[in-house]
Amino acid sequence: MPDIPPARQAIMIAVIAWSLAWKGVSLWRAARNGSKPWFVALLLSNTLGVLDAIYLFAVDRRRPSEEKVEEAILAATGEPEQEGHWDEPRGPVGP
């Protein structure tokens, strides 16, 4: 990069670092959440961190808040977490 002025080199390095940081965190979270469509979209897009930030601050925030609400309800009622009804005995239906 000898033909590029030092100020532009610094800006380019800062933009690349900014973009890689956002992309790394958003890809890691999408993979951890098992969100394949978001992972692919984030991997293939190059929006200088804009789409990555949208995923991290808007889409990824929904999931933990839903889990926290459920945990708060379970803690307030004192009931154990429901695992489904597969273990209930099956008997005759009706009289």
Side-chain angles (χ1 to χ4, degrees), residues 3-78:
D3 297 344
I4 301 173
R8 285 204 177 164
Q9 286 180 358
I11 291 172
M12 284 177 48
I13 291 171
V15 167
I16 290 169
W18 172 265
S19 183
L20 283 175
W22 281 105
K23 183 140 325 266
V25 173
S26 64
L27 286 172
W28 179 72
R29 284 233 189 122
R32 197 174 103 208
N33 291 339
S35 181
K36 290 179 185 177
W38 271 105
F39 184 87
V40 172
L42 293 167
L43 182 66
L44 297 178
S45 70
N46 189 14
T47 58
L48 297 179
V50 174
L51 184 61
D52 304 291
I54 290 170
Y55 175 74
L56 290 172
F57 292 115
V59 176
D60 190 41
R61 295 278 176 167
R62 291 185 206 158
R63 192 169 190 206
S65 65
E66 291 171 0
E67 291 173 2
K68 288 179 184 177
V69 169
E70 184 176 350
E71 289 173 7
I73 292 170
L74 293 174
T77 60

